[in-house]
């Protein structure tokens, strides 16, 4: 397959909720394959379809050290989340050059449709949990910096603008 270009911030698609996926077809599997290639080319640990301009609820996550263990998710939803939080520096290729430290639940249970079309539940922990939550935010039209205070968000966006100039 092929790596795809990223939609640059502030493209409106990054603020638009993605449409649910119906049947898992070969076309959907091809999008997932491109998403994995794109994620690996970054390199990164996850990617939501709107980041490459595909407005469907599709995500890929691979936080394995050896790589090649991508979890393919369609229509993911968080079923439960731990009270324990995990801090991690998050960033996005849609807004390069900046990052922010966020705290998210350290463990989440997620329901999603897998590559075979079955609805499954899977528990994600640590970096996997952070990445899955980050991608679900993308599918809802949210960016990681939306979770910052207004002051921190404004500072981050100002820094990103300066980096682009």
């Amino acid at each position: 397959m092929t790596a795809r270009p990223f939609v640059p911030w502030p493209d409106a698609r990054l603020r638009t909720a993605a449409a649910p996926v119906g049947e898992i077809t070969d076309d959907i599997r091809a999008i997932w394959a491109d998403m994995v290639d794109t994620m690996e080319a970054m390199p990164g640990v996850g990617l939501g379809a709107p980041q490459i301009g595909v407005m469907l609820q599709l995500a890929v996550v691979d936080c394995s050290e050896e790589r090649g263990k991508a979890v393919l998710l369609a229509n993911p939803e968080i079923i439960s989340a731990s009270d324990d939080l995990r801090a991690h520096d998050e960033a996005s290729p849609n807004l390069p050059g900046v990052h922010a430290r966020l705290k998210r639940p350290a463990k989440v249970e997620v329901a999603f449709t897998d590559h075979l079309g079955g609805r499954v539940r899977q528990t994600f922990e640590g970096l996997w949990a952070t990445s899955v939550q980050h991608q679900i935010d993308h599918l809802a039209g949210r960016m990681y910096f939306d979770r910052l205070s207004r002051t921190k968000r404004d500072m981050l966006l100002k820094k990103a603008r300066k980096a682009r100039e």
Side-chain angles (χ1 to χ4, degrees), residues 145 148-161:
F145 52 78
L148 298 172
S149 69
R150 183 183 182 114
T151 302
K152 287 184 179 179
R153 182 175 56 245
D154 289 349
M155 287 172 43
L156 182 134
L157 292 174
K158 183 178 179 181
K159 183 178 178 182
R161 276 192 299 275

Side-chain angles (χ1 to χ4, degrees), residues 8-11 94-97 157-165:
W9 174 260
D11 190 294
N94 305 97
L95 187 67
L157 292 174
K158 183 178 179 181
K159 183 178 178 182
R161 276 192 299 275
K162 284 186 177 183
R164 278 196 310 244
E165 293 173 356

Side-chain angles (χ1 to χ4, degrees), residues 93-130:
N94 305 97
L95 187 67
V98 293
H99 60 88
R101 192 150 191 88
L102 298 180
K103 289 183 178 178
R104 295 185 187 258
K107 183 176 178 180
V108 291
E109 182 180 5
V110 178
F112 60 94
T113 303
D114 68 9
H115 67 286
L116 299 174
R119 196 74 180 159
V120 298
R121 285 183 178 214
Q122 185 168 335
T123 300
F124 297 91
E125 294 186 56
L127 183 56
W128 287 88
T130 298

Side-chain angles (χ1 to χ4, degrees), residues 31-119:
I31 294 168
W32 267 327
D34 285 355
M35 290 174 67
V36 169
D37 288 348
T38 304
M39 175 183 64
E40 293 297 339
M42 273 191 275
V45 294
L47 186 70
Q51 293 182 267
I52 58 170
V54 176
M55 299 310 297
L56 293 171
Q57 290 183 19
L58 296 171
V60 297
V61 177
D62 189 348
C63 302
S64 63
E65 297 219 2
E66 63 278 7
R67 306 306 283 180
K69 305 230 184 243
V71 178
L72 312 177
L73 306 97
N75 307 322
E77 59 180 315
I78 296 171
I79 301 301
S80 65
S82 67
D83 291 333
D84 293 337
L85 299 180
R86 176 183 183 279
H88 188 77
D89 283 335
E90 296 188 33
S92 175
N94 305 97
L95 187 67
V98 293
H99 60 88
R101 192 150 191 88
L102 298 180
K103 289 183 178 178
R104 295 185 187 258
K107 183 176 178 180
V108 291
E109 182 180 5
V110 178
F112 60 94
T113 303
D114 68 9
H115 67 286
L116 299 174
R119 196 74 180 159

Side-chain angles (χ1 to χ4, degrees), residues 2-15:
T2 197
R4 296 192 188 191
F6 293 103
V7 171
W9 174 260
D11 190 294
R13 289 172 288 184
L14 297 171
R15 288 293 195 204

